[in-house]
Amino acid sequence: MKKIVVICCLGLILFSCKTKKTAVTKRPTRTTQPTTERQTNRTTPATTPKVYASKTEEYIDLYKEVAQQEMQLYGIPASITLAQGILESASGYGRLSVEANNHFGIKCHEWTGARIYHDDDELQECFRKYKDAKYSFRDHSLFLKERKRYAGLFDLKKEDYKGWAKGLRAAGYATDRKYPDKLISLIERYQLHEFDKKVLGKNYTLYEPASYKETYTVTKGDTLYSISRKYNLSVAELQKLNGLNGTNLSIGQVLIVKP
């Protein structure tokens, strides 16, 4: 009996120890927070605005294509159109261009549209007013193309910006004696003749009247025949020297008479 009791006691002691050893504290499971997708901004980066060295360069960039289109349609050199626009509109900052979109100082004349009054040669003269600057460029083309006094300009080569500049003054577009020099200066300073070159492409030929030895300035009463006789040339030779297709001349027009 005693042996049985001792065995039972030993069994209870061993069972108690085993239970303590197997009782293990369970570690909490580590939970990983779900990774959220990044919200990426797919907005288009802002275009860097152009920076211009001057108001004139900005003006050229804004209206060069319009001037080239007018050249294609009406044959007026883009260089002349741009130079006149720069000069007449103060590079787009003059009152007429700002308030009336009038970039060429064209007065009312027979105009029936909107108008603006501005001091010019006289006080409060009437000038044309346009809804958009592009209409001013078109009206400038028509103004020159449809008036007989400017007809001689269209006999000049389109590369001859100097001839066009002098012809405009001679035909009465401006009263300023230095008007041709101002246009020529603008064209050469900003290389505006490059826009003529782009329009004409392979047909462009650099025109340099200064490379000839002698010129003649047309006065009232002159004709190609009378000038050709004076310099012992034929009319055809005179036309060829100056790139003329017709016989129309403008007072103040400069002709090459001796190569």
Side-chain angles (χ1 to χ4, degrees):
M1 266 316 268
K2 289 181 179 178
K3 288 183 179 180
I4 294 170
V5 173
V6 171
I7 292 170
C8 289
C9 289
L10 289 172
L12 288 170
I13 293 169
L14 290 171
F15 180 79
S16 173
C17 291
K18 188 175 181 182
T19 304
K20 288 181 180 178
K21 287 181 181 179
T22 54
V24 179
T25 304
K26 211 173 186 182
R27 290 184 181 179
T29 306
R30 180 181 293 177
T31 56
T32 305
Q33 287 185 335
T35 304
T36 56
E37 293 185 2
R38 290 183 179 178
Q39 304 267 342
T40 55
N41 291 329
R42 297 179 178 271
T43 54
T44 306
T47 305
T48 305
K50 286 187 178 181
V51 178
Y52 300 97
S54 66
K55 294 176 181 178
T56 301
E57 288 190 4
E58 180 183 16
Y59 185 91
I60 294 166
D61 194 40
L62 282 172
Y63 297 108
K64 61 187 179 184
E65 292 180 2
V66 178
Q68 287 175 301
Q69 183 180 21
E70 294 304 307
M71 181 177 180
Q72 291 173 329
L73 293 173
Y74 296 96
I76 301 164
S79 59
I80 286 291
T81 299
L82 285 170
Q84 282 195 281
I86 292 166
L87 189 59
E88 298 285 350
S89 76
S91 297
Y93 284 84
R95 178 174 177 257
L96 288 178
S97 57
V98 172
E99 296 183 20
N101 285 314
N102 188 329
H103 285 237
F104 299 92
I106 298 180
K107 297 179 182 178
C108 288
H109 301 294
E110 69 280 5
W111 181 253
T112 57
R115 52 191 64 198
I116 186 173
Y117 295 88
H118 181 73
D119 295 344
D120 192 51
D121 296 326
E122 297 178 9
L123 296 176
Q124 292 299 288
E125 290 190 86
C126 182
F127 289 85
R128 302 182 182 191
K129 186 175 183 179
Y130 309 93
K131 291 183 179 179
D132 191 281
K134 64 183 179 182
Y135 299 123
S136 177
F137 277 76
R138 175 56 51 85
D139 200 31
H140 170 261
S141 297
L142 294 173
F143 189 84
L144 297 182
K145 191 72 174 177
E146 295 177 352
R147 283 165 174 73
K148 290 183 179 180
R149 60 180 172 146
Y150 298 113
L153 293 172
F154 294 90
D155 290 327
L156 299 173
K157 287 186 175 182
K158 295 179 180 65
E159 302 95 327
D160 183 13
Y161 60 84
K162 292 182 180 179
W164 276 81
K166 293 173 182 177
L168 282 167
R169 164 70 175 80
Y173 193 97
T175 56
D176 184 359
R177 292 182 180 181
K178 294 183 179 180
Y179 193 76
D181 294 332
K182 291 177 180 178
L183 294 181
I184 293 168
S185 177
L186 286 168
I187 291 170
E188 295 179 347
R189 179 180 178 183
Y190 294 100
Q191 300 290 297
L192 301 182
H193 47 73
E194 289 297 321
F195 299 117
D196 301 336
K197 189 175 182 178
K198 287 181 181 179
V199 173
L200 295 174
K202 294 180 180 179
N203 296 323
Y204 181 86
T205 304
L206 184 62
Y207 187 73
E208 298 179 289
S211 64
Y212 293 87
K213 294 181 179 180
E214 191 172 350
T215 61
Y216 175 79
T217 302
V218 177
T219 59
K220 187 176 181 179
D222 281 335
T223 64
L224 278 180
Y225 179 73
S226 66
I227 297 170
S228 66
R229 288 291 300 272
K230 183 175 182 179
Y231 290 94
N232 197 27
L233 296 167
S234 68
V235 171
E237 287 174 329
L238 194 57
Q239 287 175 316
K240 186 176 180 180
L241 278 174
N242 293 276
L244 301 177
N245 296 319
T247 58
N248 292 325
L249 296 176
S250 301
I251 296 173
Q253 185 175 345
V254 178
L255 297 176
I256 300 161
V257 292
K258 190 175 181 181

